[in-house]
Amino acid sequence: MIVAEVIRSGFVESVHHGVVAVVGGASFGDVESPFFPRSSNKPLQTVGLLTAGLVPREEADLALISASHDAETFHVERVRAILAAAGLGPEALRCPADLPLSETAKRDWLRAGGEPERILMNCSGKHAGFLATCVVNGWPLESYLEVDHPLQKTLADTVSRLSGEPIAALGVDGCGAPIFAISPLGLARAFLRLVEAEPGTPERRVADAMRAHPELVAGTGSEDTVLMNAMPGLIVKRGADGVSAAAVAGVGAVALKISDGATRARVPVLLAALRRLGLDVPDLPEVVRGGGLPVGEVRAVF
């Protein structure tokens, strides 16, 4: 089903298909067929780490462990600190080497002669949390990404419990970690469970950390950070290939997938879905440019 149109000079140039699961409102499309939530799974995995015994240095670390961070200096320093507290260094990470997501951080890094490093990869916070949890439990470190590792079995069980459905398929995410397929509706349910959990529970601790430290969940000026700063009470986590999930306690939750994986349709569709829940959302237009000037926009149509 078409969820967004790309308007150039008043003309519909392209369309994006997708599905939008809304808990607390009307959904759109097939929201019960499984998909890979990609990095939108991360807050659920962080709940699993706490359940398995992770003891963070401070609650803010939970936001970074749940993050797709931009590798700004404060992100990288915190990843190092999480690893150091577990007696480890960046060499223990098994995510691939990468450059910062932030264009500014990338430019500064390259100008200083830097090269891709594992700690710069946007999932390095999650991997640091994986490793710290393995240390607490005495689990093997070298194999922490293998699907039959005790850590990954715990995370799969947690995602299944929070979503209220069995894992439909297993895959390998961009960072090398196992990724668990659930439905968009299951993902929305899971996010709502995080924000509506009792204070002090693993679910609520993750939600509270994300809301208190949105700059750690993404980065300066990134969509998730901007939205959480603008909308108190909201948690939101983007995922690769056109995925996003969000929730507000007492209101509802949203999970969406843009079928072709386009990121440009993600924010307009998410904002439209949040409006369906009666929320006052910020104006974050996805601008279409021609000759360097605004000539249109990407707009939600569902």
Side-chain angles (χ1 to χ4, degrees), residues 45 130 139 143-157 177-178 180:
Q45 292 171 309
F130 284 0
W139 291 335
S143 58
Y144 75 88
L145 294 182
E146 294 181 7
V147 70
D148 59 352
H149 191 282
L151 174 73
Q152 300 303 334
K153 289 182 178 180
T154 297
L155 299 185
D157 289 344
F180 313 115

Side-chain angles (χ1 to χ4, degrees), residues 20-28 31 184-185 188 251-255 273-274 276-277 302:
V20 185
V22 182
V23 177
S27 296
F28 188 84
V31 299
L185 187 58
V251 177
V254 171
L274 292 174
R276 282 194 168 198
L277 291 173
F302 69 93

